[in-house]
Amino acid sequence: MSRFLSTKYHKLVPYTPGEQPKERKYIKLNTNESPFPPSRKAIDGAARAAESLELYSDPECKLLTKMIADTCGVSPEQVLCTNGSDEILNFAFMAFCDGAREAVFPDITYGFYSVFADLNGVPYRAIPLGEDFSINVEDYIGVNKTIFIANPNAPTGIALGVDEIERIVSSNPDSVVVIDEAYVDFGGESCIPLINKYDNLLVTQTFSKSRSMAGARLGFGVGSKQLIADLNMIKYSTNPYNVNSMTMAAGIGVLEDEEYTKSNCATVIENREYTVSKLRELGFEMTDSKANFIFAKHTDIDGESLYISLRQKGILVRHFNKARISQYNRITVGSREQMDALISAITEILEENKK
């Protein structure tokens, strides 16, 4: 770091994104991207928008916001579009946390939560998951802190039910509860319907996973009009044009083709269950994932060793060094061909490991 960097950032540890190597062509099962291209309507819409890039994008994202609102069954005033769901999560840390209102979230979850807390100078408490990596709802009842929960959780893929989320929200009426539903379309249940019952609930979603738009960077939040107004104040104080014209047009195109999204999600779920059964036959243990990834370990091979061996065979998965999960790898669910290649490579590695 330079000698000019503010001392408030000297201990900041940035988020580490998944590998995006360019030196060779890999089967990428490490960053939970979709194996499918965006809808043709999204691609065509983005291309048309590219013809007017000399103009600023609509800061209110009016048409996209209305379409998201209609899809979610809420009003446009209850929706905010952002540059990926990471942006609205950061906005939430900025708006609803401070020295007097610390954040709480699981100790094993999306790695950006602790980064956002440190970036914004927010004290936080990481609540340990259970031995089975589940979130214990009782740990969050009446904590009176700003709560962040990924549901389904990452990297475990385990989901809470809407009734369990509601218990948490209702028991913390004077604190905001943020439910990060990045993976909800792969088997989870959205708690967006609860926002009209609880004014302290903020739900975030993304177009990166189920809607095949990871490279476009589009997310959104849904909450009470008052919460969204708070977040809009943060947005207009940082970057009013946070969603570019091409991304906005692509998002509109995707929402015009919901059947394509649903079909892709169904295929991912089918491929997930297929891969889980194959991995079990090979002796793997896994969490009950409701996401577009599998969280798995094998008793006969170290987690990092498996990750390295797969990389050498041209397949990328995600390995975490955190002690409790160091024996696991998170495997994105791809196409059937990609999953078959993964199973074949793992079979070879396990055989080589016996020698």
Side-chain angles (χ1 to χ4, degrees), residues 124-232:
Y124 67 88
R125 179 161 59 98
I127 299 177
L129 295 179
E131 288 301 312
D132 60 353
F133 297 132
S134 64
I135 291 174
N136 183 355
V137 172
E138 297 301 324
D139 290 338
Y140 297 86
I141 300 298
V143 295
N144 297 317
K145 313 291 184 185
T146 305
I147 298 170
F148 293 83
I149 292 177
N151 192 48
N153 195 19
T156 66
I158 298 173
L160 293 175
V162 171
D163 57 333
E164 295 174 295
I165 295 294
E166 183 169 12
R167 285 188 61 210
I168 294 171
V169 176
S170 64
S171 72
N172 291 279
D174 298 319
S175 300
V176 173
V177 178
V178 181
I179 303 300
D180 177 357
E181 294 186 344
Y183 302 101
V184 74
D185 293 327
F186 301 103
E189 185 179 2
S190 178
C191 59
I192 285 177
L194 294 178
I195 68 160
N196 289 320
K197 187 175 180 181
Y198 300 99
D199 65 356
N200 62 324
L201 173 62
L202 175 68
V203 182
T204 67
Q205 290 193 14
T206 181
F207 279 61
S208 295
K209 317 300 180 185
S210 60
R211 293 185 168 90
S212 304
M213 283 180 52
R217 311 309 303 131
L218 179 61
F220 64 93
V222 185
S224 68
K225 294 178 182 180
Q226 293 79 12
L227 286 186
I228 296 302
D230 293 342
L231 294 167
N232 258 310

Side-chain angles (χ1 to χ4, degrees), residues 31-157:
T31 49
N32 300 338
E33 296 151 321
S34 172
F36 309 106
S39 161
R40 188 70 241 177
K41 292 184 178 181
I43 296 170
D44 292 344
R48 288 192 298 271
E51 297 174 3
S52 303
L53 289 182
E54 74 278 10
L55 303 176
Y56 281 111
S57 59
D58 173 12
E60 297 181 27
C61 303
K62 284 184 180 177
L63 180 55
L64 176 59
T65 297
K66 184 180 186 307
M67 292 187 72
I68 292 173
D70 290 345
T71 300
C72 295
V74 299
S75 70
E77 294 80 17
Q78 294 173 298
V79 176
L80 176 63
C81 296
T82 55
N83 190 305
S85 59
D86 288 337
E87 184 175 52
I88 199 160
L89 290 168
N90 189 29
F91 285 173
F93 274 91
M94 296 170 70
F96 308 125
C97 303
D98 52 35
R101 289 180 296 182
E102 70 178 16
V104 294
F105 42 80
D107 65 334
I108 298 171
T109 190
Y110 184 32
F112 237 137
Y113 298 159
S114 60
V115 175
F116 286 145
D118 289 337
L119 179 66
N120 293 294
V122 172
Y124 67 88
R125 179 161 59 98
I127 299 177
L129 295 179
E131 288 301 312
D132 60 353
F133 297 132
S134 64
I135 291 174
N136 183 355
V137 172
E138 297 301 324
D139 290 338
Y140 297 86
I141 300 298
V143 295
N144 297 317
K145 313 291 184 185
T146 305
I147 298 170
F148 293 83
I149 292 177
N151 192 48
N153 195 19
T156 66

Side-chain angles (χ1 to χ4, degrees), residues 27 29 271-284 286 294 296 306 310 313 315 317 331 335-351:
I27 294 175
L29 305 177
N271 289 349
R272 182 186 68 208
E273 298 312 305
Y274 166 80
T275 307
V276 164
S277 67
K278 293 294 185 181
L279 288 175
R280 283 206 178 108
E281 290 174 8
L282 292 173
F284 279 85
M286 286 148 287
I294 297 163
L306 178 58
L310 283 170
K313 291 180 179 293
I315 300 175
V317 297
I331 304 166
S335 66
R336 182 61 63 91
E337 293 75 20
Q338 289 174 323
M339 305 322 288
D340 281 337
L342 170 77
I343 296 301
S344 177
I346 289 177
T347 301
E348 292 177 6
I349 291 167
L350 292 175
E351 287 298 320

